């Protein structure tokens, strides 16, 4: 459950791919007939490409060399990539707002609305979306496997339910932080992104440092029991 606690701020960042990231796209220069939500497809395509790449190439080569990566290690890498994703979004947002402030903007029609868009191509969002997609493969996919295999007998359904619960809690944290920052900082989205990154990084460092010393996986427990 402590490991799952790390995923609450992770899911808060993950939810940005369907909320603030598309809104940011709408306020950047898009090709004619384009919609901000189209950029979310980059995240989905990254996931579809990464899963077979990891399974067919990376895992097989590591296994052949006798290297076995623990699920917690893979999840940790994914969490750090998520931090980089939201920090990349913060940089894009800071540049976007600076351009608008300096008068480098134009009116762009998005759906039935007209928004003030910066003269900055929407494709600057590609790094944050790719990082988010890779992160999802390493953290969420491996997380499902981790939750199921590490759950005690007869408690697998409960643990899987708890794992899914943190998704909702992460979305709630995201909404709460967004409302708080809108009230304090106005529309300073970059600080909201930075706050999410700091929250996830702080949780990751504290929880994983503790669990590295205290947590015993199922394999470790079985080996110790056999030795005894």
């Amino acid at each position: 459950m402590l490991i799952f606690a790390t995923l609450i701020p992770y899911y808060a960042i993950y939810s940005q791919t369907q909320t603030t990231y598309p809104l940011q796209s709408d306020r950047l220069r898009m090709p004619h007939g384009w919609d901000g939500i189209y950029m979310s497809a980059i995240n989905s395509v990254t996931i579809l490409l990464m899963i077979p790449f990891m399974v067919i190439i990376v895992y097989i080569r590591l296994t052949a060399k006798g290297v076995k990566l623990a699920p917690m290690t893979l999840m940790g890498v994914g969490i750090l990539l998520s931090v980089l994703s939201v920090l990349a979004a913060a940089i894009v947002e800071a540049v976007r707002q600076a351009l608008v402030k300096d008068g480098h903007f134009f009116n762009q029609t998005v759906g039935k609305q007209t928004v003030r868009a910066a003269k900055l191509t929407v494709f600057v969002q590609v790094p944050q979306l790719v990082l988010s997609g890779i992160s999802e493969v390493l953290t969420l996919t491996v997380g499902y496997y981790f939750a199921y295999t590490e759950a005690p007998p007869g408690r697998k359904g409960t643990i899987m339910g708890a794992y899914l619960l943190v998704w909702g809690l992460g979305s709630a944290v995201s909404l709460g932080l967004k409302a708080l920052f809108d009230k304090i900082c106005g529309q300073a989205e970059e600080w909201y992104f930075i706050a999410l990154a700091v929250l996830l990084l702080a949780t990751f460092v504290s929880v994983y440092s503790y669990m590295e010393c205290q947590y015993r996986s199922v394999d470790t427990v079985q080996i110790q029991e056999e030795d005894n």
Side-chain angles (χ1 to χ4, degrees):
M1 295 307 296
L2 279 174
I3 296 171
F4 289 174
T6 310
L7 297 180
I8 294 177
Y10 174 85
Y11 273 116
I13 292 179
Y14 173 73
S15 66
Q16 305 312 306
T17 58
Q18 302 299 323
T19 54
T20 55
Y21 285 9
L23 290 176
Q24 186 183 66
S25 300
D26 292 340
R27 288 159 177 76
L28 296 169
R29 188 179 69 245
M30 296 186 291
H32 180 70
W34 197 267
D35 192 284
I37 199 65
Y38 294 167
M39 292 299 293
S40 299
I42 295 176
N43 178 265
S44 302
V45 170
T46 301
I47 295 169
L48 292 174
L49 293 177
M50 277 299 297
I51 291 177
F53 175 75
M54 294 295 293
V55 173
I56 297 174
I57 298 178
V58 176
Y59 292 151
I60 289 180
R61 290 192 175 184
L62 289 177
T63 301
K65 294 182 179 180
V67 178
K68 183 179 180 181
L69 295 176
M72 282 183 60
T73 301
L74 293 171
M75 291 170 66
V77 173
I79 286 172
L80 293 177
L81 291 177
S82 183
V83 170
L84 293 177
S85 170
V86 79
L87 287 177
I91 294 172
V92 170
E93 184 61 22
V95 172
R96 185 194 71 80
Q97 292 193 18
L99 289 173
V100 171
K101 186 177 180 180
D102 291 341
H104 300 288
F105 66 87
F106 63 100
N107 292 325
Q108 180 168 254
T109 302
V110 179
K112 296 181 179 180
Q113 296 181 333
T114 300
V115 299
R116 182 177 291 182
K119 293 181 179 180
L120 180 67
T121 176
V122 71
F123 295 108
V124 296
Q125 287 188 305
V126 169
Q128 69 198 55
L129 293 167
V130 170
L131 286 169
S132 178
I134 299 174
S135 168
E136 183 175 346
V137 172
L138 295 177
T139 302
L140 302 189
T141 306
V142 175
Y144 281 118
Y145 169 82
F146 175 81
Y148 186 80
T149 56
E150 294 293 302
R155 295 288 184 270
K156 294 187 183 296
T158 303
I159 295 299
M160 291 298 292
Y163 181 78
L164 294 174
L165 175 63
V166 300
W167 191 327
L169 293 176
S171 297
V173 168
S174 172
L175 292 173
L177 275 177
K178 184 68 169 63
L180 178 63
F181 270 81
D182 284 349
K183 186 175 182 179
I184 296 175
C185 306
Q187 298 298 318
E189 296 283 348
E190 69 273 24
W191 291 109
Y192 169 63
F193 291 143
I194 292 172
L196 287 174
V198 171
L199 177 61
L200 177 56
L201 192 59
T203 308
F204 167 75
V205 171
S206 57
V207 172
Y208 267 65
S209 297
Y210 173 77
M211 297 303 289
E212 189 70 24
C213 300
Q214 300 295 327
Y215 186 76
R216 296 187 303 163
S217 67
V218 171
D219 292 339
T220 302
V221 172
Q222 290 176 345
I223 291 172
Q224 291 178 347
E225 289 177 349
E226 290 173 0
D227 290 342
N228 292 332

